[in-house]
Amino acid sequence: MGKVINIVLSGGVGSRLWPISRKKSPKQFIQIFEGKSLFQYTMLRNKALVDDYMLVTNETQLVMANQQAKELGIAVEKKIVESVGRNTAPAITLAALSLDPDDIMFITPSDHMIGDEKEYKLAVNNAIRLAKEGNIATFGIQPLKPETGYGYIEYDGEDVKSFREKPNQDLAIKYIRSGNFCWNSGMFCFKASVFLEEIKKYQTAIYEASVTAYEQSKEGYIKKEAMEKIPEDSIDFAVLEKSRIIKMVKSHFIWSDLGSFDSLIAYAKDFHNDELFEMVKGENIVNSYAMCSKPVYATRGIDHIVLIESEDCILLITKDKSEEVKQIREYAGDRDKNLL
């Protein structure tokens, strides 16, 4: 019987949380969550549920990951180090190629915040059960509101009927009212051999190029020339939307990808982390927050504003536009690459 391996994906820069999240300090490694990072919380909550870890990351983030794992007393030996990012399908394929066929891969992003340990453990154990039965298990989060920043899963019991891209507000409301849609968490569980069979079936080019790249790798480091030849695609498009062995674990734990300042503010409220943000002070100030080294005051009439201070710039944006910070980051980076 194979082991349960937590495949921790870490390669993104958290562009929607710019300017506090940068290439040199991505959101998953920022230790602003009661002294720990999202990466560290990922490692800690899975420690009792898995037999081992594997990091799938790039060379820069590997240094940060190893250092923060060391702070927790965790040594991670297994790794896939990508010289070029090619999205989640190639990343997971390379990881699967490095494991025993019967190993259970529990795929988790490194930048999510999760609460309710009892419900989380229940969901993970259900997913492991489905994986041992030869399925690809995905985690669907019970939606709390018509969120437009997440993808959705249409389901019937454990059966997945369809995957839907991030909807507009009207469509998100329709999904919620139907009662048979969950948020797509981006977490998965399956046997290494089962995933390789599916990626080979539906995305032969990714499978073959990944095999070549892995055969040329050394100690988990993938050569740039080989990595660049792997077609870029997400696991959702490459496999999940095509496979006939997908099952969904309906999950009731608290979950957020903290992908925007709006969701970060909601997290601070829900988890009582009052040190992250302060309310903007003044007259007729409505639902406005600041992450700043100095107290923020306004005279009157400020409505749903977020102010973020970093060492070299300040972001001022309305809360309802917090999903668009990525475009602001790109605009700033076009003018000064040091801001990326």
Side-chain angles (χ1 to χ4, degrees):
M1 183 62 66
K3 295 181 178 180
V4 178
I5 313 293
N6 182 195
I7 312 297
V8 183
L9 304 178
S10 178
V13 298
S15 56
R16 289 180 294 164
L17 289 181
W18 179 89
I20 64 169
S21 182
R22 305 284 187 92
K23 285 184 178 180
K24 61 183 178 182
S25 57
K27 75 168 181 176
Q28 58 267 33
F29 297 111
I30 302 173
Q31 293 175 306
I32 60 174
F33 304 94
E34 299 179 341
K36 293 185 176 64
S37 69
L38 296 174
F39 171 83
Q40 288 177 312
Y41 277 118
T42 300
M43 304 289 282
L44 287 173
R45 67 173 162 263
N46 293 331
K47 189 174 182 180
L49 301 174
V50 303
D51 299 307
D52 205 351
Y53 299 92
M54 171 181 281
L55 294 175
V56 180
T57 185
N58 55 52
E59 196 161 355
T60 300
Q61 292 194 19
L62 178 65
V63 175
M64 291 183 270
N66 281 332
Q67 176 59 39
Q68 292 200 359
K70 184 178 179 181
E71 291 175 11
L72 302 176
I74 298 173
V76 184
E77 301 296 333
K78 294 181 173 63
K79 62 182 180 294
I80 293 292
V81 185
E82 299 177 313
S83 49
V84 179
R86 306 302 288 163
N87 214 321
T88 52
I92 294 169
T93 304
L94 289 165
L97 289 166
S98 71
L99 297 175
D100 292 335
D102 285 337
D103 283 343
I104 303 293
M105 302 175 68
F106 175 34
I107 313 293
T108 63
S110 60
D111 57 357
H112 291 181
M113 181 58 76
I114 288 173
D116 197 336
E117 184 176 335
K118 183 178 179 181
E119 286 291 341
Y120 180 72
K121 181 179 179 180
L122 179 64
V124 173
N125 286 334
N126 280 338
I128 291 171
R129 169 184 60 81
L130 288 169
K132 288 179 177 178
E133 294 171 357
N135 301 293
I136 290 180
T138 182
F139 293 76
I141 307 297
Q142 179 68 38
L144 303 177
K145 61 179 180 177
E147 175 63 59
T148 60
Y150 301 149
Y152 284 73
I153 302 172
E154 183 183 13
Y155 69 95
D156 180 9
E158 289 185 340
D159 295 328
V160 173
K161 297 177 68 176
S162 68
F163 289 86
R164 306 292 179 91
E165 290 300 296
K166 297 176 182 178
N168 59 33
Q169 187 68 22
D170 290 341
L171 197 53
I173 292 172
K174 182 179 178 181
Y175 290 167
I176 297 297
R177 287 176 177 172
S178 75
N180 61 333
F181 282 85
C182 279
W183 290 336
N184 186 352
S185 69
M187 297 164 51
F188 315 101
C189 195
F190 38 71
K191 284 185 181 179
S193 58
V194 169
F195 179 78
L196 290 175
E197 289 170 4
E198 294 296 278
I199 194 76
K200 185 177 182 181
K201 181 189 302 183
Y202 296 111
Q203 297 293 337
T204 305
I206 290 178
Y207 172 80
E208 292 180 347
S210 296
V211 169
T212 300
Y214 181 72
E215 288 175 346
Q216 296 176 4
S217 68
K218 184 176 181 181
E219 297 180 347
Y221 287 81
I222 310 299
K223 294 182 179 179
K224 182 179 179 180
E225 297 78 8
M227 196 80 209
E228 288 176 335
K229 292 179 181 178
I230 305 176
E232 184 175 0
D233 207 349
S234 70
I235 183 176
D236 298 74
F237 288 135
V239 174
L240 301 186
E241 293 185 1
K242 302 175 177 64
S243 178
R244 297 183 178 181
I245 57 172
I246 306 294
K247 298 291 182 180
M248 190 193 81
V249 176
K250 189 174 182 180
S251 307
H252 299 278
F253 52 81
I254 300 168
W255 172 89
S256 175
D257 71 351
L258 298 185
S260 69
F261 284 110
D262 202 11
S263 63
L264 192 59
I265 290 168
Y267 153 79
K269 290 180 179 179
D270 292 342
F271 287 84
H272 307 291
N273 191 339
D274 298 327
E275 296 180 359
L276 269 182
F277 291 93
E278 67 167 322
M279 296 287 290
V280 176
K281 302 173 180 67
E283 298 179 6
N284 299 320
I285 309 301
V286 180
N287 202 21
S288 295
Y289 299 86
M291 183 183 288
C292 193
S293 61
K294 299 178 177 65
V296 176
Y297 294 89
T299 54
R300 57 176 57 89
I302 301 298
D303 189 352
H304 289 77
I305 293 295
V306 180
L307 187 150
I308 306 296
E309 177 196 48
S310 72
E311 61 185 17
D312 53 5
C313 67
I314 291 175
L315 171 71
L316 181 64
I317 192 170
T318 57
K319 282 179 83 252
D320 64 330
K321 298 295 183 182
S322 65
E323 289 284 344
E324 300 177 16
V325 171
K326 182 177 181 179
Q327 289 86 340
I328 300 173
R329 171 186 177 271
E330 292 170 352
Y331 175 86
D334 286 342
R335 284 149 181 77
D336 185 353
K337 297 300 182 184
N338 292 322
L339 293 178
L340 291 175

